[in-house]
Amino acid sequence: MTDQWIEETLYDNWGQRFRVTKELARTKSPFQDIVVFESDSHGRVLMLDGVVQITERDEFVYQEMLTHVPLFTHGAPRNVLIIGAGDGGVLRRVLEHPGVEKAVMVEIDGAVIELSKQHLPAIAGDAWTNPRAEVIVGDGIDYVAKAADASFDVIIVDSTDPIGVGEVLFTDSFYQHCARILTSEGLIVNQCGVPFMQADELRETSERRAKFFPHVSAYVAAVPTYVGGFMTLGIAAKGKSPVGQDVQAVRARAQQAGILENTQYWTPEIHVGSFNLPPYIAKHLPTADV
């Protein structure tokens, strides 16, 4: 039997490939090509337009850091907006925070949600049926533009890179509306790529957000399947700067939430330390919050 491989096509001059034990789904939605497959090394894998989004084996790194860092940085979030994240992993971890009263998730591609429910059920767990969750299949840009002022404490944007369906989530207009609908201590987080290969993504996103937020920075997470070293997660805050947090304060919040012993990557020390950026990454950010 000949081995079957799937190759990621994010870059035209560098990449990775996975040995496939079983292809579970392959479809073209109105927005993107979707493939879900069982891999020999990483469990089940979700690819959109040829780019790895999530693998069962290492999803906890990205999901924990994208969720717990902004929620514990804020300290007391009650209303959280999630844009994208159709696999449900971010929603699941937001709902792990007992102080969150409402988590609204807006995903433009319903096919991603349905295929994730069918083939990647462990990633979301029971988040889809949690009464504190509102899942909307729709346009996140439109939702943000119409949402009421100061209606959310935290916004988490889990999008593809700024090409194709994800491109409109990296515009001035989007960030301006995000700032408007956040409370006075609100903050927004979104993935800004792997700066070793995608430095423009981090730099341009930071420049745009600096027009609407007084504090713009980033933190890092080492996700094995996001090739090229550290993944950066850009963060922008309306209230206090997220840089230079106190480990013990973060630990106390995690202890109160019951999350302290239930993570595989995130810890209070990782949380605070992730804002200490290597110079090759820090040089792409506004200097005030680095």
Side-chain angles (χ1 to χ4, degrees):
M1 179 179 176
T2 305
D3 285 345
Q4 180 186 357
W5 295 80
I6 288 185
E7 184 172 337
E8 185 176 38
T9 57
L10 178 58
Y11 309 118
D12 59 8
N13 55 358
W14 188 31
Q16 63 181 330
R17 63 177 188 161
F18 295 84
R19 185 159 59 191
V20 179
T21 58
K22 184 178 182 181
E23 187 171 292
L24 301 170
R26 181 182 292 268
T27 186
K28 185 175 181 61
S29 77
F31 303 98
Q32 55 206 336
D33 291 316
I34 307 170
V35 178
V36 185
F37 62 92
E38 188 89 40
S39 74
D40 188 52
S41 57
H42 287 70
R44 295 187 175 189
V45 181
L46 170 67
M47 296 184 79
L48 302 179
D49 286 336
V51 180
V52 173
Q53 303 300 310
I54 285 294
T55 83
E56 285 184 320
R57 187 173 179 190
D58 70 359
E59 59 88 22
F60 65 89
V61 181
Y62 180 68
Q63 311 274 31
E64 289 179 6
M65 291 298 283
L66 189 62
T67 304
H68 297 323
V69 172
L71 268 60
F72 285 133
T73 296
H74 183 281
R78 294 183 302 168
N79 296 291
V80 178
L81 174 61
I82 304 163
I83 304 292
D87 56 76
V90 171
L91 180 64
R92 168 189 157 197
R93 285 171 175 84
V94 167
L95 294 168
E96 289 176 353
H97 292 250
V100 172
E101 298 171 2
K102 187 67 172 289
V104 179
M105 173 183 155
V106 185
E107 163 63 55
I108 197 168
D109 196 341
V112 174
I113 294 176
E114 292 309 312
L115 289 172
S116 296
K117 288 180 178 179
Q118 182 178 355
H119 298 295
L120 300 163
I123 289 181
D126 60 1
W128 300 119
T129 57
N130 191 299
R132 293 182 291 145
E134 179 182 358
V135 178
I136 299 169
V137 176
D139 185 348
I141 300 295
D142 184 60
Y143 184 92
V144 167
K146 294 177 178 177
D149 293 358
S151 51
F152 291 98
D153 300 299
V154 173
I155 299 174
I156 300 173
V157 183
D158 181 17
S159 69
T160 56
D161 290 308
I163 53 176
V165 70
E167 186 173 6
V168 291
L169 296 175
F170 291 79
T171 63
D172 283 3
S173 176
F174 176 71
Y175 292 124
Q176 184 175 21
H177 280 298
C178 286
R180 177 184 59 79
I181 70 172
L182 282 168
T183 52
S184 61
E185 294 296 318
L187 52 86
I188 179 173
V189 169
N190 65 293
Q191 70 91 358
C192 288
V194 176
F196 186 78
M197 293 295 289
Q198 300 167 303
D200 288 349
E201 188 172 321
L202 175 61
R203 183 175 58 253
E204 292 171 6
T205 296
S206 300
E207 289 173 352
R208 287 192 174 101
R209 293 191 303 188
K211 300 174 184 178
F212 311 108
F213 292 87
H215 303 291
V216 175
S217 189
Y219 58 97
V220 293
V223 186
T225 47
Y226 299 159
V227 296
F230 283 122
M231 159 70 71
T232 51
L233 300 167
I235 186 168
K238 291 177 71 175
K240 58 184 177 298
S241 171
V243 177
Q245 296 179 59
D246 178 73
V247 171
Q248 293 309 317
V250 174
R251 179 179 299 278
R253 290 169 179 172
Q255 186 76 55
Q256 184 178 14
I259 290 173
L260 195 57
E261 306 300 330
N262 296 319
T263 59
Q264 297 183 71
Y265 185 92
W266 182 95
T267 67
E269 291 78 12
I270 292 290
H271 177 122
V272 174
S274 67
F275 287 88
N276 297 318
L277 303 176
Y280 85 92
I281 297 177
K283 69 180 183 181
H284 299 294
L285 290 168
T287 56
D289 273 3
V290 174

